[in-house]
Coordinates of all heavy atoms in Angstrom, one line a residue:
M24 N 0.8 -1.2 0.0 CA 0.0 0.0 0.0 C 0.8 1.2 0.0 O 1.9 1.4 0.7 CB -0.9 0.0 1.3 CG -1.8 1.2 1.3 SD -3.5 0.8 1.6 CE -3.4 0.5 3.4
L25 N 0.5 2.2 -0.9 CA 1.3 3.4 -1.0 C 0.3 4.6 -1.2 O -0.2 4.8 -2.3 CB 2.3 3.4 -2.1 CG 3.1 4.6 -2.4 CD1 3.9 5.0 -1.1 CD2 4.0 4.4 -3.6
L26 N 0.0 5.2 0.0 CA -1.1 6.2 -0.1 C -0.5 7.6 -0.5 O 0.6 8.0 0.0 CB -1.8 6.4 1.3 CG -2.6 5.2 1.7 CD1 -3.1 5.4 3.1 CD2 -3.7 4.9 0.8
V27 N -1.2 8.3 -1.4 CA -0.9 9.7 -1.7 C -2.1 10.5 -1.7 O -3.2 9.9 -1.9 CB -0.2 9.9 -3.0 CG1 1.2 9.2 -3.1 CG2 -1.1 9.3 -4.1
C28 N -2.0 11.8 -1.3 CA -3.2 12.6 -1.4 C -3.6 13.0 -2.8 O -2.7 13.2 -3.6 CB -2.8 14.0 -0.6 SG -4.1 15.2 -0.8
S29 N -4.9 12.8 -3.1 CA -5.3 13.1 -4.5 C -5.2 14.5 -4.8 O -5.3 14.9 -6.0 CB -6.7 12.6 -4.7 OG -7.6 13.3 -3.8
N30 N -5.0 15.4 -3.8 CA -4.8 16.8 -4.1 C -3.3 17.1 -4.2 O -3.0 18.3 -4.4 CB -5.4 17.5 -2.8 CG -6.3 18.6 -3.2 OD1 -6.7 18.7 -4.3 ND2 -6.8 19.3 -2.2
R31 N -2.5 16.2 -4.0 CA -1.0 16.4 -4.0 C -0.6 17.4 -3.1 O 0.3 18.3 -3.4 CB -0.5 16.7 -5.5 CG -1.0 15.7 -6.5 CD -0.1 14.5 -6.6 NE -0.8 13.6 -7.5 CZ -0.4 12.3 -7.6 NH1 0.6 11.9 -7.0 NH2 -1.0 11.5 -8.5
C32 N -1.1 17.5 -1.9 CA -0.8 18.6 -1.0 C 0.5 18.3 -0.2 O 1.0 19.0 0.5 CB -1.9 18.9 0.0 SG -2.1 17.6 1.3
G33 N 0.9 17.0 -0.4 CA 2.2 16.6 0.3 C 1.9 16.0 1.7 O 2.9 15.7 2.5
G34 N 0.6 16.0 2.1 CA 0.3 15.4 3.4 C 0.7 13.9 3.5 O 0.7 13.2 2.6
R35 N 1.2 13.6 4.7 CA 1.7 12.2 4.9 C 0.8 11.4 5.8 O 1.2 10.3 6.1 CB 3.2 12.3 5.3 CG 4.1 12.9 4.3 CD 5.0 11.8 3.7 NE 5.8 12.4 2.7 CZ 5.6 12.2 1.3 NH1 4.5 11.6 1.0 NH2 6.4 12.8 0.4
L36 N -0.2 12.1 6.4 CA -1.0 11.4 7.3 C -2.4 11.1 6.8 O -3.0 12.1 6.1 CB -1.1 12.1 8.7 CG 0.2 12.2 9.5 CD1 0.0 13.1 10.7 CD2 0.6 10.8 10.0
F37 N -2.9 9.9 6.9 CA -4.2 9.7 6.4 C -5.1 8.9 7.4 O -4.6 8.3 8.3 CB -4.0 8.7 5.1 CG -3.1 9.3 4.1 CD1 -1.8 9.1 4.1 CD2 -3.6 10.2 3.1 CE1 -0.9 9.6 3.1 CE2 -2.9 10.8 2.2 CZ -1.5 10.5 2.2
R38 N -6.4 9.2 7.3 CA -7.3 8.5 8.2 C -8.0 7.4 7.5 O -8.5 7.6 6.4 CB -8.2 9.5 8.8 CG -9.4 8.9 9.6 CD -10.3 9.9 10.2 NE -9.5 10.6 11.3 CZ -9.7 12.0 11.5 NH1 -10.6 12.6 10.8 NH2 -9.1 12.5 12.5
A39 N -8.0 6.2 8.0 CA -8.7 5.1 7.4 C -10.2 5.2 7.7 O -10.6 5.5 8.8 CB -8.1 3.8 8.0
L40 N -11.0 5.1 6.6 CA -12.4 5.2 6.8 C -13.1 3.9 6.6 O -14.3 3.7 6.9 CB -13.0 6.2 5.7 CG -12.5 7.6 5.8 CD1 -13.1 8.4 4.6 CD2 -12.9 8.2 7.1
F41 N -12.3 2.9 6.1 CA -13.0 1.7 5.8 C -13.1 0.8 7.0 O -12.8 1.2 8.1 CB -12.2 0.9 4.7 CG -10.8 0.4 5.2 CD1 -10.6 -0.9 5.4 CD2 -9.8 1.3 5.4 CE1 -9.4 -1.4 5.9 CE2 -8.6 0.8 5.9 CZ -8.4 -0.5 6.1
A42 N -13.7 -0.4 6.8 CA -13.9 -1.3 7.9 C -14.7 -0.8 9.0 O -14.3 -0.8 10.2 CB -12.5 -1.9 8.4
E43 N -15.9 -0.2 8.7 CA -16.8 0.1 9.7 C -17.4 -1.3 10.1 O -17.7 -2.1 9.3 CB -18.0 0.9 9.1 CG -17.6 2.3 8.8 CD -18.7 3.1 8.2 OE1 -19.8 2.9 8.6 OE2 -18.5 3.8 7.2
V44 N -17.5 -1.5 11.4 CA -17.8 -2.8 11.8 C -19.3 -2.7 12.3 O -19.7 -1.8 13.1 CB -17.0 -3.3 13.0 CG1 -17.4 -4.6 13.5 CG2 -15.5 -3.4 12.5
E45 N -20.1 -3.7 11.9 CA -21.5 -3.7 12.4 C -21.6 -4.8 13.5 O -21.1 -5.8 13.4 CB -22.4 -4.1 11.2 CG -22.5 -3.0 10.2 CD -23.4 -3.4 9.0 OE1 -24.0 -4.5 9.0 OE2 -23.4 -2.7 8.0
V46 N -22.3 -4.3 14.5 CA -22.5 -5.3 15.6 C -24.0 -5.3 15.9 O -24.7 -4.4 15.6 CB -21.7 -4.8 16.9 CG1 -20.2 -4.9 16.7 CG2 -22.2 -3.4 17.3
D47 N -24.4 -6.5 16.5 CA -25.9 -6.5 16.9 C -26.0 -6.0 18.3 O -25.1 -5.5 18.9 CB -26.4 -7.9 16.7 CG -25.8 -8.9 17.7 OD1 -25.0 -8.5 18.6 OD2 -26.0 -10.1 17.5
A48 N -27.2 -6.1 18.8 CA -27.5 -5.5 20.1 C -26.6 -6.0 21.3 O -26.3 -5.3 22.2 CB -29.0 -5.7 20.5
S49 N -26.2 -7.3 21.1 CA -25.3 -7.8 22.2 C -23.9 -7.5 21.9 O -23.0 -7.9 22.7 CB -25.5 -9.4 22.2 OG -25.1 -9.9 21.1
G50 N -23.6 -6.8 20.9 CA -22.2 -6.4 20.6 C -21.5 -7.4 19.8 O -20.2 -7.3 19.7
E51 N -22.2 -8.4 19.3 CA -21.5 -9.5 18.6 C -21.3 -9.0 17.1 O -22.1 -8.4 16.5 CB -22.4 -10.7 18.5 CG -21.6 -12.0 18.4 CD -22.4 -13.2 18.8 OE1 -23.0 -13.2 19.9 OE2 -22.5 -14.1 18.0
F52 N -20.1 -9.3 16.7 CA -19.7 -8.9 15.4 C -20.6 -9.5 14.3 O -20.8 -10.7 14.2 CB -18.3 -9.4 15.2 CG -17.8 -9.3 13.7 CD1 -17.4 -8.0 13.2 CD2 -17.7 -10.4 12.9 CE1 -17.0 -7.9 11.9 CE2 -17.3 -10.3 11.6 CZ -16.9 -9.0 11.1
Q53 N -21.1 -8.6 13.4 CA -21.9 -9.1 12.3 C -21.2 -9.0 10.9 O -21.2 -10.0 10.2 CB -23.2 -8.2 12.2 CG -24.1 -8.3 13.4 CD -24.6 -9.7 13.5 OE1 -25.2 -10.2 12.6 NE2 -24.5 -10.2 14.8
D54 N -20.6 -7.9 10.6 CA -20.1 -7.8 9.2 C -19.2 -6.6 9.1 O -19.2 -5.7 9.9 CB -21.3 -7.5 8.3 CG -21.0 -7.9 6.9 OD1 -19.9 -8.4 6.6 OD2 -21.9 -7.7 6.0
Y55 N -18.4 -6.6 8.1 CA -17.6 -5.4 7.8 C -18.3 -4.7 6.7 O -18.9 -5.3 5.8 CB -16.2 -5.8 7.2 CG -15.2 -6.3 8.3 CD1 -14.7 -7.5 8.3 CD2 -14.7 -5.3 9.2 CE1 -13.8 -7.9 9.2 CE2 -13.8 -5.7 10.1 CZ -13.3 -7.0 10.2 OH -12.4 -7.3 11.1
R56 N -18.2 -3.4 6.7 CA -18.7 -2.6 5.6 C -17.5 -1.8 5.1 O -16.8 -1.1 5.8 CB -19.8 -1.7 6.1 CG -20.9 -1.5 5.0 CD -22.0 -0.6 5.4 NE -22.1 -0.5 6.8 CZ -22.6 0.6 7.4 NH1 -23.1 1.6 6.7 NH2 -22.8 0.6 8.7
V57 N -17.2 -2.0 3.8 CA -16.0 -1.3 3.3 C -16.5 0.0 2.6 O -17.2 0.0 1.6 CB -15.2 -2.1 2.2 CG1 -14.1 -1.3 1.7 CG2 -14.7 -3.4 2.9
A58 N -16.2 1.1 3.2 CA -16.6 2.4 2.7 C -15.6 2.9 1.7 O -14.4 2.6 1.8 CB -16.7 3.4 3.8
Q59 N -16.0 3.6 0.7 CA -15.2 4.2 -0.3 C -15.3 5.7 -0.2 O -16.4 6.2 -0.1 CB -15.5 3.7 -1.7 CG -15.3 2.3 -2.0 CD -13.9 1.9 -1.9 OE1 -13.0 2.7 -2.3 NE2 -13.5 0.7 -1.6
P60 N -14.3 6.5 -0.4 CA -12.9 6.1 -0.5 C -12.4 5.6 0.8 O -12.9 6.0 1.9 CB -12.2 7.3 -1.0 CG -13.0 8.5 -0.4 CD -14.4 7.9 -0.4
G61 N -11.3 4.8 0.8 CA -10.8 4.1 2.0 C -10.1 5.1 3.0 O -10.1 4.9 4.2
Y62 N -9.5 6.1 2.4 CA -8.6 7.0 3.2 C -8.8 8.4 2.8 O -9.1 8.7 1.7 CB -7.1 6.6 3.0 CG -6.8 5.2 3.6 CD1 -7.0 4.1 2.7 CD2 -6.3 5.0 4.8 CE1 -6.7 2.8 3.1 CE2 -6.0 3.7 5.3 CZ -6.2 2.7 4.4 OH -5.9 1.4 4.9
V63 N -8.7 9.3 3.8 CA -8.7 10.7 3.5 C -7.4 11.3 4.0 O -6.8 10.8 5.0 CB -9.8 11.5 4.1 CG1 -11.1 11.1 3.3 CG2 -9.9 11.3 5.6
C64 N -6.9 12.3 3.3 CA -5.7 13.1 3.8 C -6.1 13.9 5.0 O -7.0 14.6 5.0 CB -5.3 14.0 2.6 SG -3.9 15.1 3.1
L65 N -5.2 13.8 6.0 CA -5.5 14.5 7.3 C -5.1 16.0 7.2 O -5.5 16.8 7.9 CB -4.7 13.9 8.4 CG -5.4 12.7 9.2 CD1 -4.5 12.3 10.4 CD2 -6.8 13.0 9.6
N66 N -4.3 16.2 6.1 CA -3.8 17.6 5.9 C -4.8 18.5 5.3 O -5.1 19.6 5.7 CB -2.5 17.5 5.1 CG -1.8 18.9 5.1 OD1 -1.8 19.6 6.2 ND2 -1.1 19.2 4.1
C67 N -5.5 18.0 4.2 CA -6.4 18.8 3.5 C -7.8 18.2 3.3 O -8.7 18.8 2.8 CB -5.8 19.1 2.1 SG -5.8 17.7 0.9
G68 N -7.9 17.0 3.7 CA -9.2 16.4 3.7 C -9.6 15.7 2.3 O -10.7 15.1 2.2
A69 N -8.7 15.8 1.4 CA -9.0 15.1 0.1 C -8.9 13.6 0.2 O -8.2 13.1 1.1 CB -8.0 15.6 -1.0
P70 N -9.6 12.9 -0.6 CA -9.5 11.4 -0.6 C -8.0 11.0 -1.0 O -7.5 11.7 -1.9 CB -10.5 10.9 -1.6 CG -11.1 12.1 -2.3 CD -10.6 13.4 -1.6
A71 N -7.5 10.0 -0.4 CA -6.2 9.5 -0.7 C -6.3 8.4 -1.7 O -7.2 7.7 -1.8 CB -5.5 9.1 0.5
L72 N -5.2 8.3 -2.5 CA -5.2 7.2 -3.5 C -4.1 6.2 -3.1 O -3.1 6.5 -2.6 CB -4.8 7.8 -4.8 CG -5.6 9.0 -5.4 CD1 -4.8 9.5 -6.6 CD2 -7.0 8.6 -5.7
D73 N -4.4 5.0 -3.3 CA -3.5 3.9 -3.0 C -2.7 3.6 -4.3 O -3.3 3.0 -5.2 CB -4.2 2.7 -2.5 CG -3.2 1.6 -2.1 OD1 -2.0 1.8 -2.3 OD2 -3.6 0.5 -1.6
L74 N -1.5 4.1 -4.4 CA -0.7 4.0 -5.7 C -0.4 2.5 -6.0 O -0.2 2.2 -7.2 CB 0.6 4.7 -5.5 CG 0.5 6.3 -5.7 CD1 1.9 6.9 -5.8 CD2 -0.3 6.6 -7.0
S75 N -0.4 1.7 -5.0 CA -0.1 0.3 -5.2 C -1.2 -0.4 -6.0 O -1.1 -1.5 -6.5 CB 0.2 -0.4 -4.0 OG -0.9 -0.5 -3.1
E76 N -2.4 0.3 -5.9 CA -3.5 -0.4 -6.7 C -3.7 0.3 -8.1 O -4.5 -0.2 -8.9 CB -4.8 -0.2 -5.9 CG -4.9 -1.1 -4.8 CD -6.2 -1.0 -4.0 OE1 -7.1 -0.2 -4.4 OE2 -6.3 -1.6 -2.9
V77 N -3.0 1.3 -8.4 CA -3.1 2.0 -9.7 C -2.7 1.1 -10.9 O -3.4 1.1 -11.8 CB -2.3 3.3 -9.6 CG1 -2.2 3.9 -11.1 CG2 -3.0 4.3 -8.7
P78 N -1.6 0.5 -10.8 CA -1.2 -0.4 -12.0 C -2.3 -1.3 -12.4 O -2.6 -1.5 -13.6 CB 0.1 -1.1 -11.5 CG 0.6 -0.2 -10.5 CD -0.5 0.4 -9.8
A79 N -2.9 -2.0 -11.4 CA -4.0 -2.9 -11.7 C -5.2 -2.2 -12.4 O -5.8 -2.7 -13.3 CB -4.5 -3.6 -10.4
A80 N -5.5 -1.0 -11.9 CA -6.6 -0.2 -12.5 C -6.2 0.2 -13.9 O -7.1 0.2 -14.8 CB -6.9 1.0 -11.6
M81 N -5.0 0.6 -14.1 CA -4.5 1.0 -15.4 C -4.6 -0.1 -16.4 O -4.9 0.0 -17.5 CB -3.2 1.6 -15.3 CG -3.2 3.1 -14.8 SD -1.5 3.7 -14.4 CE -0.7 3.7 -16.0
E82 N -4.2 -1.3 -15.8 CA -4.2 -2.5 -16.7 C -5.6 -2.8 -17.1 O -5.9 -3.1 -18.4 CB -3.7 -3.7 -16.0 CG -2.4 -4.3 -16.5 CD -1.9 -5.4 -15.6 OE1 -2.6 -6.4 -15.4 OE2 -0.8 -5.2 -15.1
A83 N -6.6 -2.7 -16.3 CA -8.0 -3.0 -16.5 C -8.4 -2.0 -17.6 O -9.2 -2.3 -18.5 CB -8.8 -2.9 -15.3
E84 N -8.0 -0.7 -17.4 CA -8.4 0.3 -18.4 C -7.8 0.0 -19.8 O -8.5 0.1 -20.8 CB -7.9 1.6 -17.9 CG -8.9 2.8 -18.1 CD -8.4 4.0 -17.4 OE1 -7.6 4.8 -17.9 OE2 -8.8 4.3 -16.2
A85 N -6.6 -0.4 -19.8 CA -5.9 -0.8 -21.1 C -6.6 -1.9 -21.8 O -6.8 -1.9 -23.0 CB -4.4 -1.1 -20.9
R86 N -7.1 -2.8 -21.0 CA -7.8 -4.0 -21.5 C -9.1 -3.5 -22.1 O -9.5 -4.0 -23.2 CB -8.1 -5.0 -20.4 CG -7.1 -6.2 -20.5 CD -7.6 -7.4 -19.7 NE -7.9 -7.1 -18.3 CZ -7.0 -7.2 -17.4 NH1 -5.7 -7.5 -17.6 NH2 -7.4 -6.9 -16.1
E87 N -9.8 -2.6 -21.5 CA -11.0 -2.1 -22.0 C -10.8 -1.3 -23.3 O -11.6 -1.5 -24.2 CB -11.6 -1.1 -20.9 CG -12.7 -1.8 -20.1 CD -13.2 -0.8 -18.9 OE1 -13.5 0.3 -19.3 OE2 -13.3 -1.3 -17.8
E88 N -9.7 -0.6 -23.4 CA -9.5 0.2 -24.5 C -9.2 -0.8 -25.7 O -9.6 -0.5 -26.8 CB -8.2 1.0 -24.3 CG -8.6 2.5 -24.1 CD -7.4 3.3 -23.7 OE1 -6.3 3.2 -24.3 OE2 -7.6 4.1 -22.7
E89 N -8.4 -1.9 -25.4 CA -8.2 -2.9 -26.5 C -9.4 -3.4 -27.0 O -9.7 -3.6 -28.2 CB -7.3 -4.0 -25.8 CG -5.9 -4.1 -26.4 CD -5.1 -5.1 -25.7 OE1 -5.5 -6.2 -25.6 OE2 -4.1 -4.6 -25.1
A90 N -10.3 -3.8 -26.1 CA -11.6 -4.4 -26.4 C -12.4 -3.4 -27.3 O -13.1 -3.8 -28.2 CB -12.4 -4.8 -25.2
S91 N -12.3 -2.1 -26.9 CA -13.2 -1.2 -27.7 C -12.6 -0.9 -29.1 O -13.3 -0.6 -30.0 CB -13.4 0.1 -26.9 OG -12.1 0.8 -26.9
T92 N -11.2 -1.0 -29.2 CA -10.7 -0.7 -30.5 C -10.8 -2.0 -31.4 O -10.5 -1.9 -32.6 CB -9.2 -0.3 -30.4 OG1 -8.5 -1.3 -29.6 CG2 -9.1 1.1 -29.9
A93 N -11.1 -3.1 -30.8 CA -11.2 -4.3 -31.6 C -12.4 -4.3 -32.6 O -12.4 -4.8 -33.6 CB -11.4 -5.5 -30.7
S94 N -13.5 -3.6 -32.1 CA -14.6 -3.4 -33.1 C -14.3 -2.2 -34.0 O -13.8 -1.2 -33.5 CB -15.9 -3.2 -32.3 OG -15.8 -1.9 -31.5
T95 N -14.5 -2.4 -35.2 CA -14.1 -1.4 -36.2 C -15.2 -0.5 -36.6 O -16.2 -0.8 -37.1 CB -13.6 -2.2 -37.5 OG1 -12.8 -3.3 -37.1 CG2 -12.7 -1.3 -38.3
D96 N -14.8 0.8 -36.4 CA -15.7 1.9 -36.8 C -15.1 2.4 -38.1 O -14.0 2.8 -38.1 CB -15.8 3.0 -35.7 CG -16.8 2.6 -34.6 OD1 -17.7 1.9 -34.9 OD2 -16.6 3.2 -33.5
I97 N -16.0 2.4 -39.1 CA -15.5 3.1 -40.4 C -16.6 4.1 -40.9 O -17.7 4.0 -40.6 CB -15.1 2.0 -41.5 CG1 -16.4 1.2 -41.9 CG2 -14.1 1.0 -40.9 CD1 -16.2 0.4 -43.1
L98 N -16.1 4.9 -41.8 CA -16.9 5.9 -42.4 C -17.5 5.3 -43.7 O -16.8 4.9 -44.6 CB -16.2 7.2 -42.6 CG -17.0 8.4 -43.0 CD1 -17.8 8.9 -41.8 CD2 -16.0 9.5 -43.4
C99 N -18.9 5.2 -43.8 CA -19.5 4.7 -44.9 C -19.2 5.7 -46.1 O -19.5 6.9 -45.9 CB -21.0 4.5 -44.7 SG -21.9 4.1 -46.2
P100 N -18.7 5.2 -47.2 CA -18.4 6.1 -48.3 C -19.6 6.7 -49.1 O -19.6 7.6 -49.8 CB -17.6 5.3 -49.3 CG -17.9 3.9 -49.0 CD -18.3 3.8 -47.5
V101 N -20.7 6.0 -48.8 CA -21.9 6.4 -49.5 C -22.8 7.4 -48.7 O -23.1 8.5 -49.1 CB -22.8 5.1 -49.8 CG1 -24.1 5.6 -50.5 CG2 -22.0 4.2 -50.8
C102 N -23.1 7.0 -47.4 CA -23.9 7.9 -46.7 C -23.1 8.8 -45.7 O -23.7 9.6 -45.0 CB -25.0 7.1 -45.9 SG -24.5 6.0 -44.7
E103 N -21.8 8.5 -45.6 CA -20.9 9.2 -44.7 C -21.4 9.2 -43.3 O -21.3 10.2 -42.6 CB -20.7 10.7 -45.3 CG -20.1 10.7 -46.7 CD -19.7 12.0 -47.1 OE1 -20.3 13.0 -46.6 OE2 -18.8 12.1 -47.9
T104 N -21.7 8.0 -42.9 CA -22.1 7.8 -41.5 C -21.0 7.0 -40.8 O -20.6 6.0 -41.4 CB -23.4 7.2 -41.3 OG1 -24.4 7.9 -42.1 CG2 -23.9 7.1 -39.9
M105 N -20.6 7.3 -39.6 CA -19.7 6.4 -38.9 C -20.5 5.2 -38.5 O -21.4 5.3 -37.7 CB -19.2 7.1 -37.6 CG -17.8 7.4 -37.4 SD -16.6 6.7 -38.6 CE -15.2 6.6 -37.5
V106 N -20.2 4.0 -39.0 CA -20.9 2.8 -38.8 C -19.9 1.8 -38.2 O -18.7 1.8 -38.5 CB -21.6 2.3 -40.0 CG1 -22.7 3.3 -40.4 CG2 -20.6 2.0 -41.1
Q107 N -20.4 0.9 -37.4 CA -19.6 -0.2 -36.9 C -19.7 -1.4 -37.9 O -20.8 -1.8 -38.2 CB -20.1 -0.7 -35.5 CG -19.1 -1.3 -34.7 CD -19.5 -1.4 -33.2 OE1 -20.4 -2.1 -32.9 NE2 -18.8 -0.6 -32.3
L108 N -18.6 -1.8 -38.3 CA -18.6 -2.9 -39.3 C -19.1 -4.2 -38.7 O -18.6 -4.6 -37.7 CB -17.2 -3.1 -39.8 CG -16.9 -3.8 -41.1 CD1 -17.7 -3.1 -42.2 CD2 -15.5 -4.0 -41.4
D109 N -20.1 -4.7 -39.3 CA -20.6 -6.0 -38.8 C -20.2 -7.1 -39.7 O -19.5 -6.9 -40.7 CB -22.1 -5.9 -38.5 CG -22.9 -5.6 -39.8 OD1 -22.3 -5.7 -40.9 OD2 -24.1 -5.3 -39.6
A110 N -20.7 -8.3 -39.4 CA -20.3 -9.5 -40.2 C -20.7 -9.5 -41.6 O -20.2 -10.1 -42.5 CB -20.8 -10.7 -39.5
N111 N -21.8 -8.7 -41.9 CA -22.3 -8.6 -43.2 C -21.4 -7.8 -44.2 O -21.7 -7.8 -45.4 CB -23.7 -8.0 -43.2 CG -24.6 -8.8 -42.4 OD1 -24.6 -10.1 -42.4 ND2 -25.6 -8.2 -41.7
M112 N -20.5 -7.0 -43.6 CA -19.7 -6.1 -44.4 C -20.5 -5.1 -45.2 O -20.1 -4.8 -46.4 CB -18.8 -7.0 -45.3 CG -17.7 -7.9 -44.6 SD -16.5 -7.1 -43.8 CE -15.4 -6.6 -45.2
E113 N -21.6 -4.7 -44.7 CA -22.3 -3.7 -45.3 C -22.8 -2.7 -44.4 O -23.0 -2.9 -43.2 CB -23.5 -4.2 -46.2 CG -24.5 -5.0 -45.4 CD -25.6 -5.6 -46.3 OE1 -25.3 -6.0 -47.5 OE2 -26.8 -5.6 -45.9
C114 N -23.0 -1.5 -44.9 CA -23.5 -0.4 -44.0 C -24.9 -0.6 -43.5 O -25.8 -0.9 -44.3 CB -23.5 0.9 -44.8 SG -24.2 2.3 -43.9
P115 N -25.0 -0.7 -42.2 CA -26.4 -0.9 -41.6 C -27.3 0.2 -41.8 O -28.5 0.1 -41.7 CB -26.1 -1.0 -40.1 CG -24.7 -0.4 -39.8 CD -24.0 -0.5 -41.2
N116 N -26.8 1.4 -42.3 CA -27.5 2.6 -42.5 C -28.2 2.6 -43.8 O -29.4 2.8 -44.1 CB -26.7 3.8 -42.2 CG -27.5 5.1 -42.1 OD1 -28.6 5.1 -41.5 ND2 -27.0 6.1 -42.6
C117 N -27.3 2.4 -44.9 CA -27.8 2.5 -46.3 C -27.6 1.2 -47.1 O -28.0 1.1 -48.2 CB -27.0 3.6 -47.0 SG -25.3 3.3 -47.3
G118 N -26.9 0.2 -46.5 CA -26.7 -1.1 -47.2 C -25.6 -1.2 -48.2 O -25.4 -2.1 -48.9
A119 N -24.8 -0.1 -48.3 CA -23.7 -0.1 -49.2 C -22.6 -1.1 -48.7 O -22.4 -1.2 -47.5 CB -23.1 1.3 -49.3
P120 N -21.9 -1.7 -49.6 CA -20.9 -2.6 -49.2 C -19.7 -1.9 -48.7 O -19.3 -0.8 -49.1 CB -20.5 -3.3 -50.5 CG -20.9 -2.4 -51.6 CD -22.1 -1.7 -51.1
L121 N -19.0 -2.4 -47.6 CA -18.0 -1.7 -47.0 C -16.7 -2.5 -47.0 O -16.7 -3.7 -47.0 CB -18.3 -1.4 -45.5 CG -19.6 -0.7 -45.2 CD1 -19.9 -0.6 -43.7 CD2 -19.4 0.7 -45.8
E122 N -15.6 -1.8 -47.0 CA -14.2 -2.4 -47.0 C -13.4 -1.9 -45.8 O -13.6 -0.6 -45.5 CB -13.5 -2.0 -48.3 CG -14.0 -2.9 -49.5 CD -13.3 -2.3 -50.8 OE1 -12.2 -2.0 -50.8 OE2 -14.1 -2.3 -51.8
V123 N -12.7 -2.8 -45.2 CA -11.9 -2.3 -44.1 C -10.6 -1.6 -44.6 O -10.1 -2.1 -45.7 CB -11.5 -3.5 -43.2 CG1 -10.8 -3.0 -41.9 CG2 -12.7 -4.4 -42.8
G124 N -10.2 -0.6 -44.1 CA -9.0 0.1 -44.4 C -9.5 1.4 -45.2 O -8.8 2.2 -45.5
Ligands
LIG10 ZN1 -4.0 16.5 1.1
LIG11 ZN1 -24.0 4.0 -45.6

């Protein structure tokens, strides 16, 4: 875990907000509730970021981008509409045949 202030104020102290514990009337432990964001900067009150979790988040984002670029958007030469190329290789808007590239 590597916490930084999302405000970049340079604060080095953070308060943990997560792990609110629920108990029943007899005080018996019931459940954890994980609150988000997990930490706030004690210096300025901004939510803190856990830098050790950033690479995973960025990876997930990169994967999403890859997935979204896998579907091909092309400009139909006939009706000049941005269309998503489907298996039929024709414009869903006007029916003109489409070519990739
Ligand atoms: Zn701060
Ligand atoms: Zn078209």
Side-chain angles (χ1 to χ4, degrees):
M24 179 129 81
L25 179 57
L26 293 175
V27 293
C28 171
S29 63
N30 233 3
R31 309 277 172 192
C32 73
R35 295 254 174 258
L36 291 173
F37 303 93
R38 172 175 291 146
L40 298 176
F41 69 106
E43 290 175 41
V44 179
E45 289 176 10
V46 296
D47 67 8
S49 66
E51 207 163 308
F52 168 76
Q53 295 295 309
D54 201 5
Y55 282 116
R56 220 181 331 158
V57 179
Q59 294 293 333
Y62 296 85
V63 291
C64 173
L65 276 185
N66 195 33
C67 71
L72 307 171
D73 185 355
L74 285 187
S75 65
E76 284 180 11
V77 167
M81 280 168 63
E82 242 174 64
E84 221 169 83
R86 260 199 302 274
E87 261 172 48
E88 258 169 48
E89 244 171 63
S91 69
T92 52
S94 63
T95 318
D96 279 336
I97 65 167
L98 194 66
C99 172
V101 176
C102 66
E103 296 189 335
T104 308
M105 240 356 207
V106 294
Q107 204 166 68
L108 197 60
D109 60 12
N111 298 325
M112 299 288 284
E113 62 181 35
C114 173
N116 194 39
C117 68
L121 299 175
E122 283 171 40
V123 187

